[in-house]
Amino acid sequence: MPHDTQGRIGPQDLGGLDGDSVDPSEHDLAQWERMVDAMTRLMYREKIFGDAAQLREGIEALGPDVYQRLSYFERWAASSARKCVMEGLVTQEELDERIAQIRERGRDGA
Amino acid sequence: MTPAFRVGDRVRVDDRYEPRHHRTPAYVKGKVGEVERVCLAHGRPEILAYRNDGGPPRTVYRVRLRQCDLWPDYNGPAHDTLEIEIFEHWLRPVEARN
Amino acid sequence: MAHEHHGHDHPHPFQPDHPEPTSYYELLGMALNELLIEKGVYTAGDMRAMIEQLEAVSPETHGAKVVARAWVDPDFKAALLRDGAAAVSSLGLDPGYTELTALENTPRLHNVVVCTLCSCYPRSLLGRPPAWYKSASYRSRLVREPRKVLAEFGTTVPDDVEVRVHDSTAELRYVVVPMRPEGTEGWSEEDLATLVTRDSMIGVARAKATR
């Protein structure tokens, strides 16, 4: 029973689409996921995110392809970073540089 | 602010295009239901998504819809329902049928 | 046709030329956290405390207590259904910053909760949502074929019982008050709370049956 997907308000608008059966298994969160979860809370506290709509808007702005490819907290990380860049708190260059450093640390076995 | 709708009012979810972030999913747009509860008021997501001042708060309603009105091929009893929160600026009045 | 390939909730390597099993977005989150701490937006201690605060909430320590109280105390149940936040606060629990709405299951009505647009969840009572609650298949299908999805969780609802799906799209959060299992007359509130599972408070299952 195909469902007309026209008019979906964005990649997040899933209600009524066809899908696989639900996998009810439990997943423990990785440490970085716990960190991203807490980071968004701290961003609310510091009024960087003024409303839940701002975190959501940043997730929806990823577009359908990226939205579907990313895991849940990857989307949150992407939206949080975008917001901080837009607010001028960090630059994309700083983020890129730090990502390279973290990769190096990983290679050094730190 | 005074809510425009009361519990029991029949309402239609507006079926309009909105390019900004909003919280009215496609599957309820254009559908008719009944106000189950008048909830709090909150700034409009269409504005709050982009700046912290969402303007005057708008009333949020819980609207009850019949599943068989949402999905013509609904595979379940006619009394099954769905409730969803809809902002006042996404609702239109529906004249009573009698 | 409209059947989409849905994302899943596992981190995955996507740059075959890098040996690390960490994705760009995972690293992005880690980089952002380090920079926000260095710039003084918050401290490393704030981060640790927030992680602990989020871990401290669980269905067992929070939601189950509220439901068990509602089972033994009709006045509390009435208050909970009227104003969820006030009733939860009266137990010394944090109701969260959104409007908390309790939904009572009855012999005629089975409530079940979803957030089709993201993953709104009563975190102040249940902690973090399970992976399946955030999954594309749950979010897409529950509103359209709720009885089939419930059956996948092992919950068969007879046709003479109304199934009511709640799509949590805005400023409300929902917790289901499942029916009190038969054969629990005279049980203590503490013992009753052990029957109240997370899934029963989302509505995909009933409270645990007694042996």
Side-chain angles (χ1 to χ4, degrees):
Chain A
M1 43 179 193
H3 175 66
D4 180 9
T5 58
Q6 293 214 329
R8 282 176 66 192
I9 67 172
Q12 77 286 7
D13 189 7
L14 300 181
L17 297 183
D18 294 340
D20 301 329
S21 58
V22 179
D23 171 4
S25 58
E26 304 290 331
H27 295 278
D28 269 345
L29 292 187
Q31 187 54 35
W32 75 269
E33 293 175 300
R34 295 168 203 270
M35 182 275 291
V36 169
D37 190 18
M39 182 167 69
T40 59
R41 290 302 176 109
L42 291 167
M43 286 175 63
Y44 283 123
R45 194 185 76 179
E46 299 304 321
K47 307 275 189 283
I48 300 169
F49 280 131
D51 189 90
Q54 295 173 10
L55 172 64
R56 293 172 186 148
E57 192 274 334
I59 290 169
E60 292 155 19
L62 292 167
D65 294 343
V66 180
Y67 182 92
Q68 282 179 41
R69 185 160 55 86
L70 299 197
S71 70
Y72 186 78
F73 283 109
E74 285 180 321
R75 292 177 199 145
W76 281 34
S79 178
S80 300
R82 174 177 181 267
K83 182 69 171 170
C84 288
V85 170
M86 284 170 53
E87 295 291 326
L89 283 166
V90 299
T91 64
Q92 188 60 45
E93 291 71 31
E94 287 176 306
L95 287 166
D96 291 342
E97 195 181 320
R98 186 55 57 102
I99 286 170
Q101 288 171 10
I102 296 172
R103 282 204 164 110
E104 281 305 313
R105 276 185 242 155
R107 263 194 268 277
D108 296 343
Chain B
M1 57 169 296
T2 314
F5 302 105
R6 290 178 302 182
V7 172
D9 282 356
R10 280 166 58 78
V11 287
R12 182 184 300 278
V13 182
D14 205 9
D15 185 8
R16 65 170 188 265
Y17 175 67
E18 168 55 71
R20 296 169 295 182
H21 166 84
H22 61 294
R23 298 290 285 179
T24 310
Y27 79 92
V28 293
K29 284 187 179 178
K31 305 294 182 180
V32 172
E34 188 177 303
V35 171
E36 185 272 341
R37 187 183 299 215
V38 182
C39 308
L40 75 183
H42 193 80
R44 274 175 291 174
E46 292 87 342
I47 298 175
L48 280 173
Y50 310 97
R51 57 171 204 250
N52 289 352
D53 176 7
R58 301 298 173 98
T59 303
V60 175
Y61 300 85
R62 270 211 303 170
V63 177
R64 181 177 300 169
L65 302 106
R66 298 192 311 164
Q67 287 283 20
C68 51
D69 289 338
L70 283 172
W71 319 105
D73 58 352
Y74 182 68
N75 188 17
H79 57 222
D80 283 0
T81 53
L82 177 137
E83 291 185 5
I84 184 167
E85 299 144 58
I86 303 288
F87 277 83
E88 186 168 291
H89 59 282
W90 278 96
L91 293 177
R92 296 284 172 267
V94 174
E95 296 303 317
R97 272 186 281 207
N98 297 315
Chain C
M1 304 270 292
H3 186 98
E4 299 184 358
H5 173 72
H6 295 305
H8 33 81
D9 282 301
H10 309 285
H12 39 274
F14 72 103
Q15 291 181 314
D17 53 337
H18 282 278
E20 302 92 308
T22 42
S23 80
Y24 168 78
Y25 293 94
E26 169 182 346
L27 293 168
L28 181 64
M30 292 164 72
L32 180 62
N33 178 51
E34 291 186 9
L35 290 169
L36 292 179
I37 290 171
E38 284 170 19
K39 288 169 187 285
V41 173
Y42 54 80
T43 68
D46 290 336
M47 172 53 71
R48 277 193 298 276
M50 184 58 78
I51 290 176
E52 274 173 30
Q53 187 185 320
L54 295 173
E55 308 273 293
V57 182
S58 73
E60 297 77 26
T61 55
H62 289 66
K65 285 186 178 165
V66 174
V67 170
R69 174 65 62 88
W71 281 350
V72 299
D73 181 347
D75 289 341
F76 177 79
K77 183 163 86 178
L80 180 68
L81 297 173
R82 199 169 50 242
D83 182 346
V88 165
S89 301
S90 76
L91 296 185
L93 298 173
D94 172 15
Y97 56 89
T98 44
E99 193 165 310
L100 185 68
T101 306
L103 310 163
E104 184 185 20
N105 281 354
T106 71
R108 311 291 301 167
L109 176 66
H110 185 94
N111 294 285
V112 58
V113 181
V114 64
C115 171
T116 60
L117 293 176
C118 48
S119 58
C120 296
Y121 191 71
R123 290 188 56 160
S124 63
L125 287 186
L126 302 187
R128 294 195 184 97
W132 57 259
Y133 186 86
K134 303 180 287 185
S135 71
S137 46
Y138 185 75
R139 288 167 49 198
S140 59
R141 293 179 52 229
L142 188 80
V143 292
R144 186 181 168 93
E145 42 186 14
R147 289 171 182 268
K148 202 170 163 201
V149 174
L150 288 169
E152 286 166 20
F153 282 90
T155 305
T156 309
V157 180
D159 274 358
D160 62 343
V161 177
E162 174 186 337
V163 169
R164 185 174 294 163
V165 176
H166 299 264
D167 190 354
S168 183
T169 48
E171 310 307 323
L172 274 64
R173 297 294 177 270
Y174 301 94
V175 62
V176 174
V177 179
M179 282 194 289
R180 179 172 173 166
E182 286 173 19
T184 57
E185 295 75 18
W187 281 41
S188 72
E189 207 175 313
E190 213 171 40
D191 287 345
L192 285 169
T194 64
L195 303 177
V196 187
T197 61
R198 177 196 70 200
D199 289 3
S200 74
M201 290 182 278
I202 301 173
V204 295
R206 298 187 173 86
K208 272 191 228 169
T210 56
R211 286 159 300 276

